[in-house]
Amino acid sequence: MVVETGEPELENLDVVEAGSGAGRGAMQYTGVRRTAYDAARLQAIADGIDPNSNDWQEQYFAEEYAGLHDPPEGSLIGWTCVFEDRPHGMTPAAAAAYWTGSAATAEGYFRPGTPHTERRQAEAQRIWGLLQSGALVLPPVGS
């Protein structure tokens, strides 16, 4: 999400992609995924929920991944299980490449049209280093 949003502290998550303007949100939803995201975002605002919040972004990601925003004609993402089927024991760089994938190969989760795997790998390594040093602490499971 840091690379997707350009936000190292993940404080501004409901961002529109710089440049093309196609992607929006923490996961930079585009195309039909952007249409579903925008509808959920407008509903959140109508309900008094901040779509820029980490809580809302995480909730939307989980719902979209689970297919809860799929239209009648089929899956928005069409490549489910990329997270649960990942190979075990990957380095941060390998995990970043695996989860990123590409539009050209129809693999991964993010599937960028213009790959920038090196940036994703460097960010994954940076965050892993913060976790290993104790400078970044994840909340307990279930929090």
Side-chain angles (χ1 to χ4, degrees):
M1 287 190 297
V2 169
V3 174
E4 290 295 309
T5 63
E7 291 285 326
E9 302 298 321
L10 297 178
E11 294 175 334
N12 187 24
L13 299 175
D14 185 35
V15 297
V16 175
E17 183 177 18
S20 70
R24 183 168 199 153
M27 301 297 183
Q28 290 296 282
Y29 302 102
T30 59
V32 293
R33 296 178 72 204
R34 168 76 188 264
T35 303
Y37 175 88
D38 285 343
R41 179 183 177 276
L42 289 175
Q43 184 61 55
I45 291 169
D47 293 343
I49 299 168
D50 179 8
N52 198 49
S53 72
N54 231 319
D55 286 345
W56 189 83
Q57 290 288 326
E58 288 176 15
Q59 183 68 39
Y60 182 81
F61 161 74
E63 289 175 2
E64 192 228 19
Y65 191 74
L68 300 181
H69 295 277
D70 288 351
E73 51 278 355
S75 172
L76 284 175
I77 59 172
W79 56 86
T80 57
C81 299
V82 70
F83 292 105
E84 48 275 57
D85 290 346
R86 70 169 171 73
H88 294 282
M90 292 193 302
T91 65
Y98 171 78
W99 282 316
T100 295
S102 78
T105 61
E107 295 176 340
Y109 177 78
F110 294 106
R111 296 185 178 193
T114 304
H116 41 270
T117 304
E118 299 80 14
R119 284 181 37 217
R120 293 170 188 273
Q121 290 175 319
E123 190 58 29
Q125 197 61 51
R126 184 187 74 82
I127 291 172
W128 182 248
L130 291 171
L131 287 167
Q132 294 297 86
S133 72
L136 178 63
V137 179
L138 297 176
V141 175
S143 305

